[in-house]
Each structure stands twice: as structure tokens, then as C-alpha cells.
Amino acid sequence: MKKIIALLISLTLVMTTLAACSSNDKKAETAKTGLAVISSVAKSAIPGEKDGLAEVDSTVVAVLVDKAGKIVKCSIDVAQTKINFSAEGKILTDLATEFKSKQDLKEEYGMLKNSGIGKEWYQQADEFEKYVIGKTVAEVKGIAIDAEGKATDADLSASVTVHINEFIEGVEKAVANAQDLGAKTTDKLGLSVSTTIAKSADATAEKAGVAQAYSFYTAVTTDAKGKITSSLVDASQSNVNFDTTGAITTDLTAALQTKQELKEGYNMKGSSSIGKEWYEQANAFSKYVTGKTVAEVDKIAITADGLAGDADLAASVTVHIGDFIAGVDKAVANAQ
């Protein structure tokens, strides 16, 4: 009798385990990974009572989308880069400055004291992310906003009072860009943004000055074992040009594109030793790190010049990969 009871208990445990596995398999459906960047230099200004300002605002959105087109994960960040220059066309901001994104700044961003709902920017962005989970892009586009781009829905406006028009536009674009790269709906989604201005330069009689925000964007998904299941890498070089009188010579209303959007327009292929454009090499790197843990990514060999030391990777990626690896590290750390 005891043997029969023990057998029944064992069978019950096996059936329970199989049922749990089956349930998990159903939940872990294939998902598409999307990344979008929307940039503007419209807030830039010529020198006057204040120094000249080259301001680049980039809204960055990463999403995971299921087979039904519903958003299952969403991450939002903004890179706000401000570079000052003089009436003589000289860069005034330290070129070694590394600008933190708004998610990285957290309370340092300083919105809390002026917030009517007592929430920092990152907290409001996080609330918007939660709000769009389970929605289709059509439903997100249907979120009511006023003329200023703020939410008019009572539930949403109770936790989000910042402008959300670019959040909505970013989600729409990220979903449109989404690709089946190996992610599952149960994976974590991480986003990383980093910006430097080291390539900015003073104006001279022969050449216009440039205030350049060089930003890298990385979206990754990771499974329960910490392995990368999908990866997307992009970058933008957003320039504001000015002359030796401090006059801005860039069209501040022009649309800005990332390197992934420029594709052949970035014009690297002609000088590439392997005949590949930047976006092709970035995609090859993303494919290379998929299936690896962040520890394995950190072990990728890099030469003294910052190039891939691994022969297989170097065959398809000849651009500097230090920023790519740093982006993956940060995105995995940020994954939720």
C-alpha cells in the first residue's frame, strides 16, 4: 500500500512538473525586438546675453512586441546634450564631458522640485512604460494628449505630467522597426545610452565650428540564464555648425537620422576593408553576441586600436567595438 501511495505521489509530481513546463512554454512566445531614436536640435540658440547653445535632444525607445502586436516590454530614455560656444565660435564646454541620460541622472536631473505630482523624470518615464504594456501601437497612438503634448487621460496624467508626444512617436517607430531576432516574451529588456562630445571643434576662417553629440544606443534582451537573446546597436552623430561670429549655420528644423537609418548614406562602405557599411557591421556584432552572457561579451578580444581581435568577428566587423561592448554591458545591467 505504501509503495502504491509513493508511486502515486511520484506520478503527481511528474505531471505537475510537465504541466508547469508546458505552461511556461506557452508564456514564452516569440517576440520582436525594436529600437528607435528621435533627435532634434531645435532648442539650439546663437550667443546673446548668454553663451551660444547647441542642444541635442534624443528620445530613445526599446520595445518587445508579441505575435499579436502587443507591447510586452518597453524602455524609454532621453539623451539631452548641451554644448556651449562663444560669439567668436569657440567651444566652451569641456570636450571630455560625458553626458548622462535622464534615466542615468535619476534625481540629479532636478525635476522633482518643480513636479506637481512629486515624481522625477525617470519615474514618470517608467510609469508611461508600464501604461503601454499590453497595448498595440494603434492603442498607444490613441492616447489622448493636449496641444502641449501632455496626457489628458486622468489615470495617466496622475503619474505622468511630462510631455509624452515623443514617447508615443518613439514607441510607434520602435514597433515599426521591431525584428524577430530570437527574443521571447518572458525575456528581460535592457536599454543603454551613452554620449560624448569629443569630436566638437572651434570655428575657423576656413572651416565651420561643430558641436557634435555622439551617442550610442543599445537594446538587448536576456533570458532566465542571463544569455543575450537579441541585440540592437545604433549611433547618431548630431551636429550643430556655427561660424566665427557665433552664427548657427545648421538648419535646426532638419530631420536627423541615426547610422542605422542612414544605411548606405553614412558612406563607410567605400573606405571599408571588408566592403561593409556601419549598420551592417553593427548588425554583425549584435548577431555575434547573441547567445552569450555579458561575461562572455566582456572577454571578446580587442586590439590596442579598439578593433576586434577575434578572427571570426574581425571578418565582419572592422569598426571600433569598445563602445559596442560597453553598451551591451550597460544594457544588460539595466535589463528588467
Short mmCIF file of all heavy atoms in Angstrom, two decimals, residues 5-63:
data_model
loop_
_atom_site.label_atom_id
_atom_site.label_comp_id
_atom_site.label_asym_id
_atom_site.label_seq_id
_atom_site.Cartn_x
_atom_site.Cartn_y
_atom_site.Cartn_z
N ILE A 5 1.08 4.32 -2.78
CA ILE A 5 0.94 5.75 -2.44
C ILE A 5 2.15 6.53 -2.91
O ILE A 5 2.04 7.62 -3.47
CB ILE A 5 0.73 5.91 -0.92
CG1 ILE A 5 -0.62 5.32 -0.50
CG2 ILE A 5 0.81 7.39 -0.52
CD1 ILE A 5 -0.83 5.26 1.00
N ALA A 6 3.34 5.96 -2.68
CA ALA A 6 4.58 6.63 -3.10
C ALA A 6 4.61 6.80 -4.60
O ALA A 6 5.04 7.83 -5.14
CB ALA A 6 5.79 5.82 -2.64
N LEU A 7 4.14 5.75 -5.32
CA LEU A 7 4.11 5.82 -6.78
C LEU A 7 3.16 6.89 -7.27
O LEU A 7 3.46 7.65 -8.20
CB LEU A 7 3.72 4.44 -7.34
CG LEU A 7 3.63 4.33 -8.88
CD1 LEU A 7 4.99 4.62 -9.50
CD2 LEU A 7 3.15 2.93 -9.29
N LEU A 8 2.00 6.95 -6.62
CA LEU A 8 1.01 7.96 -6.99
C LEU A 8 1.55 9.38 -6.77
O LEU A 8 1.33 10.28 -7.57
CB LEU A 8 -0.28 7.76 -6.20
CG LEU A 8 -1.12 6.53 -6.60
CD1 LEU A 8 -2.27 6.34 -5.60
CD2 LEU A 8 -1.68 6.73 -8.01
N ILE A 9 2.25 9.56 -5.63
CA ILE A 9 2.84 10.87 -5.32
C ILE A 9 3.88 11.23 -6.39
O ILE A 9 3.93 12.37 -6.87
CB ILE A 9 3.48 10.87 -3.93
CG1 ILE A 9 2.39 10.76 -2.85
CG2 ILE A 9 4.32 12.13 -3.71
CD1 ILE A 9 2.93 10.57 -1.44
N SER A 10 4.70 10.25 -6.78
CA SER A 10 5.73 10.49 -7.79
C SER A 10 5.11 10.87 -9.12
O SER A 10 5.57 11.81 -9.80
CB SER A 10 6.60 9.23 -7.97
OG SER A 10 7.29 8.93 -6.78
N LEU A 11 4.04 10.14 -9.49
CA LEU A 11 3.36 10.44 -10.75
C LEU A 11 2.74 11.83 -10.73
O LEU A 11 2.76 12.57 -11.71
CB LEU A 11 2.27 9.39 -11.02
CG LEU A 11 2.77 8.00 -11.45
CD1 LEU A 11 1.63 7.00 -11.49
CD2 LEU A 11 3.43 8.09 -12.84
N THR A 12 2.19 12.20 -9.57
CA THR A 12 1.58 13.52 -9.42
C THR A 12 2.62 14.62 -9.59
O THR A 12 2.39 15.63 -10.26
CB THR A 12 0.91 13.66 -8.03
OG1 THR A 12 -0.08 12.65 -7.90
CG2 THR A 12 0.27 15.04 -7.88
N LEU A 13 3.80 14.40 -8.97
CA LEU A 13 4.89 15.38 -9.08
C LEU A 13 5.36 15.52 -10.52
O LEU A 13 5.62 16.62 -11.01
CB LEU A 13 6.06 14.98 -8.18
CG LEU A 13 5.84 15.13 -6.67
CD1 LEU A 13 6.99 14.49 -5.90
CD2 LEU A 13 5.71 16.61 -6.30
N VAL A 14 5.47 14.40 -11.23
CA VAL A 14 5.89 14.42 -12.63
C VAL A 14 4.89 15.18 -13.48
O VAL A 14 5.25 16.02 -14.31
CB VAL A 14 6.09 12.98 -13.17
CG1 VAL A 14 6.27 13.00 -14.69
CG2 VAL A 14 7.29 12.33 -12.51
N MET A 15 3.61 14.87 -13.29
CA MET A 15 2.56 15.54 -14.07
C MET A 15 2.52 17.03 -13.78
O MET A 15 2.31 17.85 -14.69
CB MET A 15 1.19 14.91 -13.74
CG MET A 15 1.06 13.47 -14.20
SD MET A 15 1.28 13.27 -15.98
CE MET A 15 -0.18 14.14 -16.59
N THR A 16 2.74 17.41 -12.50
CA THR A 16 2.75 18.82 -12.11
C THR A 16 3.90 19.55 -12.79
O THR A 16 3.75 20.67 -13.29
CB THR A 16 2.87 18.96 -10.57
OG1 THR A 16 1.77 18.30 -9.96
CG2 THR A 16 2.86 20.43 -10.17
N THR A 17 5.07 18.88 -12.79
CA THR A 17 6.26 19.47 -13.41
C THR A 17 6.05 19.66 -14.90
O THR A 17 6.37 20.71 -15.47
CB THR A 17 7.49 18.58 -13.18
OG1 THR A 17 7.69 18.44 -11.79
CG2 THR A 17 8.74 19.19 -13.82
N LEU A 18 5.49 18.63 -15.56
CA LEU A 18 5.23 18.71 -17.00
C LEU A 18 4.22 19.81 -17.31
O LEU A 18 4.36 20.54 -18.29
CB LEU A 18 4.70 17.37 -17.52
CG LEU A 18 5.72 16.22 -17.59
CD1 LEU A 18 5.03 14.90 -17.95
CD2 LEU A 18 6.80 16.55 -18.61
N ALA A 19 3.21 19.93 -16.47
CA ALA A 19 2.19 20.97 -16.67
C ALA A 19 2.80 22.35 -16.52
O ALA A 19 2.49 23.27 -17.28
CB ALA A 19 1.05 20.78 -15.66
N ALA A 20 3.69 22.48 -15.52
CA ALA A 20 4.35 23.77 -15.29
C ALA A 20 5.23 24.13 -16.48
O ALA A 20 5.26 25.28 -16.93
CB ALA A 20 5.18 23.72 -14.01
N CYS A 21 5.97 23.12 -16.99
CA CYS A 21 6.84 23.37 -18.14
C CYS A 21 6.03 23.77 -19.36
O CYS A 21 6.38 24.67 -20.11
CB CYS A 21 7.66 22.12 -18.47
SG CYS A 21 8.91 21.73 -17.22
N SER A 22 4.89 23.03 -19.54
CA SER A 22 4.02 23.34 -20.67
C SER A 22 3.47 24.74 -20.56
O SER A 22 3.40 25.49 -21.53
CB SER A 22 2.87 22.33 -20.72
OG SER A 22 1.95 22.66 -21.74
N SER A 23 3.10 25.14 -19.32
CA SER A 23 2.57 26.49 -19.09
C SER A 23 3.61 27.54 -19.39
O SER A 23 3.33 28.56 -20.01
CB SER A 23 2.11 26.61 -17.63
OG SER A 23 1.67 27.92 -17.35
N ASN A 24 4.86 27.28 -18.94
CA ASN A 24 5.94 28.24 -19.19
C ASN A 24 6.23 28.37 -20.67
O ASN A 24 6.52 29.46 -21.16
CB ASN A 24 7.22 27.79 -18.46
CG ASN A 24 7.11 28.02 -16.96
OD1 ASN A 24 6.35 28.87 -16.52
ND2 ASN A 24 7.88 27.25 -16.19
N ASP A 25 6.19 27.21 -21.40
CA ASP A 25 6.43 27.24 -22.84
C ASP A 25 5.40 28.10 -23.55
O ASP A 25 5.72 28.83 -24.49
CB ASP A 25 6.40 25.82 -23.42
CG ASP A 25 7.63 25.01 -22.99
OD1 ASP A 25 8.63 25.63 -22.58
OD2 ASP A 25 7.58 23.77 -23.08
N LYS A 26 4.16 28.02 -23.08
CA LYS A 26 3.10 28.80 -23.69
C LYS A 26 3.32 30.29 -23.44
O LYS A 26 3.06 31.12 -24.30
CB LYS A 26 1.73 28.37 -23.14
CG LYS A 26 1.28 27.00 -23.64
CD LYS A 26 -0.07 26.62 -23.06
CE LYS A 26 -0.52 25.25 -23.55
NZ LYS A 26 -1.83 24.86 -22.96
N LYS A 27 3.82 30.60 -22.27
CA LYS A 27 4.04 32.00 -21.92
C LYS A 27 5.24 32.57 -22.69
O LYS A 27 5.25 33.73 -23.06
CB LYS A 27 4.27 32.14 -20.42
CG LYS A 27 3.02 31.90 -19.58
CD LYS A 27 3.34 32.05 -18.10
CE LYS A 27 2.12 31.79 -17.24
NZ LYS A 27 2.45 31.89 -15.80
N ALA A 28 6.25 31.72 -22.91
CA ALA A 28 7.48 32.18 -23.57
C ALA A 28 7.34 32.13 -25.08
O ALA A 28 7.93 31.29 -25.75
CB ALA A 28 8.66 31.34 -23.10
N GLU A 29 6.53 33.01 -25.62
CA GLU A 29 6.33 33.06 -27.07
C GLU A 29 7.40 33.93 -27.73
O GLU A 29 8.05 34.74 -27.08
CB GLU A 29 4.94 33.65 -27.38
CG GLU A 29 3.79 32.81 -26.86
CD GLU A 29 2.45 33.48 -27.08
OE1 GLU A 29 2.45 34.68 -27.42
OE2 GLU A 29 1.41 32.81 -26.91
N THR A 30 7.55 33.75 -29.01
CA THR A 30 8.49 34.56 -29.78
C THR A 30 8.07 36.03 -29.74
O THR A 30 6.89 36.35 -29.80
CB THR A 30 8.52 34.08 -31.24
OG1 THR A 30 8.94 32.72 -31.26
CG2 THR A 30 9.49 34.92 -32.06
N ALA A 31 9.06 36.90 -29.61
CA ALA A 31 8.78 38.35 -29.59
C ALA A 31 9.77 39.07 -30.49
O ALA A 31 10.90 38.63 -30.70
CB ALA A 31 8.88 38.89 -28.17
N LYS A 32 9.32 40.18 -31.03
CA LYS A 32 10.19 41.03 -31.86
C LYS A 32 10.81 42.12 -30.99
O LYS A 32 10.17 42.63 -30.07
CB LYS A 32 9.39 41.67 -32.99
CG LYS A 32 8.91 40.68 -34.05
CD LYS A 32 8.17 41.40 -35.17
CE LYS A 32 7.75 40.43 -36.27
NZ LYS A 32 7.04 41.13 -37.36
N THR A 33 12.06 42.46 -31.29
CA THR A 33 12.79 43.50 -30.56
C THR A 33 12.91 44.73 -31.44
O THR A 33 13.31 44.63 -32.59
CB THR A 33 14.20 43.01 -30.17
OG1 THR A 33 14.12 41.71 -29.58
CG2 THR A 33 14.86 43.98 -29.21
N GLY A 34 12.55 45.88 -30.88
CA GLY A 34 12.61 47.12 -31.65
C GLY A 34 13.33 48.24 -30.91
O GLY A 34 13.28 48.31 -29.69
N LEU A 35 14.02 49.08 -31.67
CA LEU A 35 14.73 50.23 -31.11
C LEU A 35 14.49 51.44 -32.00
O LEU A 35 14.51 51.33 -33.23
CB LEU A 35 16.23 49.93 -31.05
CG LEU A 35 17.17 51.05 -30.58
CD1 LEU A 35 16.90 51.41 -29.12
CD2 LEU A 35 18.63 50.62 -30.75
N ALA A 36 14.25 52.59 -31.38
CA ALA A 36 14.01 53.82 -32.15
C ALA A 36 14.64 55.01 -31.46
O ALA A 36 14.71 55.08 -30.24
CB ALA A 36 12.51 54.07 -32.31
N VAL A 37 15.11 55.96 -32.28
CA VAL A 37 15.69 57.20 -31.78
C VAL A 37 15.08 58.36 -32.54
O VAL A 37 15.00 58.34 -33.77
CB VAL A 37 17.22 57.22 -31.97
CG1 VAL A 37 17.81 58.52 -31.41
CG2 VAL A 37 17.88 56.01 -31.33
N ILE A 38 14.63 59.36 -31.79
CA ILE A 38 14.09 60.58 -32.41
C ILE A 38 14.89 61.76 -31.86
O ILE A 38 14.86 62.03 -30.66
CB ILE A 38 12.60 60.76 -32.09
CG1 ILE A 38 11.79 59.58 -32.62
CG2 ILE A 38 12.07 62.06 -32.69
CD1 ILE A 38 10.37 59.55 -32.14
N SER A 39 15.62 62.45 -32.74
CA SER A 39 16.51 63.53 -32.30
C SER A 39 16.11 64.88 -32.88
O SER A 39 15.55 64.97 -33.98
CB SER A 39 17.96 63.23 -32.70
OG SER A 39 18.44 62.09 -32.05
N SER A 40 16.44 65.92 -32.12
CA SER A 40 16.16 67.29 -32.55
C SER A 40 17.24 68.23 -32.02
O SER A 40 17.77 68.02 -30.93
CB SER A 40 14.79 67.73 -32.02
OG SER A 40 14.59 69.12 -32.21
N VAL A 41 17.55 69.26 -32.82
CA VAL A 41 18.48 70.31 -32.38
C VAL A 41 17.75 71.66 -32.32
O VAL A 41 18.38 72.71 -32.28
CB VAL A 41 19.72 70.40 -33.31
CG1 VAL A 41 20.56 69.16 -33.19
CG2 VAL A 41 19.30 70.65 -34.76
N ALA A 42 16.43 71.61 -32.32
CA ALA A 42 15.61 72.82 -32.43
C ALA A 42 15.80 73.81 -31.29
O ALA A 42 15.54 75.01 -31.45
CB ALA A 42 14.13 72.42 -32.52
N LYS A 43 16.27 73.35 -30.12
CA LYS A 43 16.43 74.25 -28.97
C LYS A 43 17.78 74.96 -28.94
O LYS A 43 18.08 75.70 -28.01
CB LYS A 43 16.21 73.48 -27.67
CG LYS A 43 14.78 73.00 -27.47
CD LYS A 43 14.62 72.26 -26.14
CE LYS A 43 13.18 71.79 -25.94
NZ LYS A 43 13.02 71.05 -24.67
N SER A 44 18.59 74.74 -29.97
CA SER A 44 19.90 75.41 -30.05
C SER A 44 19.68 76.92 -30.26
O SER A 44 18.66 77.35 -30.81
CB SER A 44 20.71 74.85 -31.22
OG SER A 44 20.91 73.46 -31.05
N ALA A 45 20.65 77.74 -29.80
CA ALA A 45 20.49 79.20 -29.88
C ALA A 45 21.84 79.89 -30.07
O ALA A 45 22.87 79.42 -29.58
CB ALA A 45 19.82 79.72 -28.61
N ILE A 46 21.82 81.01 -30.77
CA ILE A 46 23.05 81.78 -31.01
C ILE A 46 23.43 82.55 -29.74
O ILE A 46 22.60 82.77 -28.86
CB ILE A 46 22.86 82.78 -32.18
CG1 ILE A 46 21.74 83.78 -31.85
CG2 ILE A 46 22.57 82.06 -33.48
CD1 ILE A 46 21.60 84.91 -32.86
N PRO A 47 24.70 82.95 -29.62
CA PRO A 47 25.13 83.73 -28.45
C PRO A 47 24.41 85.08 -28.40
O PRO A 47 24.14 85.70 -29.42
CB PRO A 47 26.63 83.92 -28.68
CG PRO A 47 27.02 82.89 -29.68
CD PRO A 47 25.82 82.69 -30.54
N GLY A 48 24.11 85.51 -27.18
CA GLY A 48 23.49 86.80 -26.95
C GLY A 48 23.85 87.23 -25.56
O GLY A 48 25.03 87.35 -25.23
N GLU A 49 22.85 87.42 -24.72
CA GLU A 49 23.13 87.69 -23.31
C GLU A 49 23.76 86.44 -22.67
O GLU A 49 24.51 86.55 -21.70
CB GLU A 49 21.83 88.05 -22.58
CG GLU A 49 21.26 89.40 -23.01
CD GLU A 49 20.02 89.76 -22.22
OE1 GLU A 49 19.65 88.99 -21.29
OE2 GLU A 49 19.40 90.78 -22.51
N LYS A 50 23.44 85.30 -23.24
CA LYS A 50 24.02 84.04 -22.77
C LYS A 50 24.92 83.48 -23.86
O LYS A 50 24.86 83.89 -25.02
CB LYS A 50 22.91 83.03 -22.44
CG LYS A 50 22.01 83.44 -21.29
CD LYS A 50 20.97 82.35 -21.01
CE LYS A 50 20.07 82.73 -19.84
NZ LYS A 50 19.05 81.66 -19.58
N ASP A 51 25.78 82.52 -23.49
CA ASP A 51 26.61 81.85 -24.47
C ASP A 51 25.75 81.11 -25.49
O ASP A 51 24.59 80.77 -25.21
CB ASP A 51 27.53 80.82 -23.78
CG ASP A 51 28.57 81.48 -22.89
OD1 ASP A 51 29.03 82.59 -23.22
OD2 ASP A 51 28.90 80.88 -21.84
N GLY A 52 26.32 80.86 -26.67
CA GLY A 52 25.61 80.08 -27.66
C GLY A 52 25.36 78.67 -27.14
O GLY A 52 26.11 78.16 -26.30
N LEU A 53 24.30 78.05 -27.63
CA LEU A 53 23.93 76.73 -27.15
C LEU A 53 23.61 75.80 -28.32
O LEU A 53 22.78 76.12 -29.17
CB LEU A 53 22.71 76.80 -26.24
CG LEU A 53 22.10 75.46 -25.80
CD1 LEU A 53 23.06 74.71 -24.89
CD2 LEU A 53 20.75 75.68 -25.11
N ALA A 54 24.29 74.67 -28.35
CA ALA A 54 23.94 73.59 -29.27
C ALA A 54 23.31 72.51 -28.40
O ALA A 54 23.98 71.91 -27.57
CB ALA A 54 25.17 73.06 -29.98
N GLU A 55 22.01 72.31 -28.56
CA GLU A 55 21.31 71.33 -27.75
C GLU A 55 20.76 70.22 -28.63
O GLU A 55 20.02 70.47 -29.58
CB GLU A 55 20.18 71.96 -26.95
CG GLU A 55 19.43 70.94 -26.09
CD GLU A 55 18.40 71.57 -25.15
OE1 GLU A 55 18.57 72.75 -24.77
OE2 GLU A 55 17.45 70.87 -24.79
N VAL A 56 21.13 69.00 -28.29
CA VAL A 56 20.62 67.82 -29.00
C VAL A 56 19.76 67.02 -28.03
O VAL A 56 20.23 66.59 -26.97
CB VAL A 56 21.77 66.94 -29.53
CG1 VAL A 56 21.19 65.77 -30.33
CG2 VAL A 56 22.73 67.75 -30.38
N ASP A 57 18.50 66.84 -28.38
CA ASP A 57 17.58 66.05 -27.56
C ASP A 57 17.21 64.79 -28.33
O ASP A 57 16.61 64.87 -29.42
CB ASP A 57 16.32 66.86 -27.24
CG ASP A 57 16.62 68.06 -26.36
OD1 ASP A 57 17.04 67.86 -25.22
OD2 ASP A 57 16.45 69.21 -26.83
N SER A 58 17.56 63.65 -27.77
CA SER A 58 17.28 62.36 -28.43
C SER A 58 16.42 61.49 -27.53
O SER A 58 16.85 61.11 -26.44
CB SER A 58 18.57 61.63 -28.77
OG SER A 58 19.36 62.38 -29.67
N THR A 59 15.20 61.20 -27.98
CA THR A 59 14.32 60.29 -27.26
C THR A 59 14.57 58.89 -27.79
O THR A 59 14.54 58.65 -29.00
CB THR A 59 12.84 60.67 -27.48
OG1 THR A 59 12.62 62.00 -26.98
CG2 THR A 59 11.91 59.71 -26.75
N VAL A 60 14.83 57.96 -26.86
CA VAL A 60 15.21 56.59 -27.24
C VAL A 60 14.20 55.61 -26.65
O VAL A 60 13.90 55.67 -25.45
CB VAL A 60 16.63 56.25 -26.72
CG1 VAL A 60 17.12 54.95 -27.34
CG2 VAL A 60 17.59 57.40 -26.98
N VAL A 61 13.67 54.72 -27.50
CA VAL A 61 12.67 53.76 -27.05
C VAL A 61 13.03 52.37 -27.54
O VAL A 61 13.35 52.16 -28.71
CB VAL A 61 11.26 54.12 -27.59
CG1 VAL A 61 10.23 53.10 -27.10
CG2 VAL A 61 10.86 55.52 -27.16
N ALA A 62 12.99 51.40 -26.61
CA ALA A 62 13.17 49.99 -26.96
C ALA A 62 11.89 49.24 -26.57
O ALA A 62 11.28 49.56 -25.54
CB ALA A 62 14.37 49.40 -26.23
N VAL A 63 11.50 48.28 -27.40
CA VAL A 63 10.28 47.52 -27.12
C VAL A 63 10.46 46.04 -27.42
O VAL A 63 11.30 45.66 -28.22
CB VAL A 63 9.07 48.03 -27.95
CG1 VAL A 63 8.68 49.45 -27.56
CG2 VAL A 63 9.36 47.93 -29.45
#
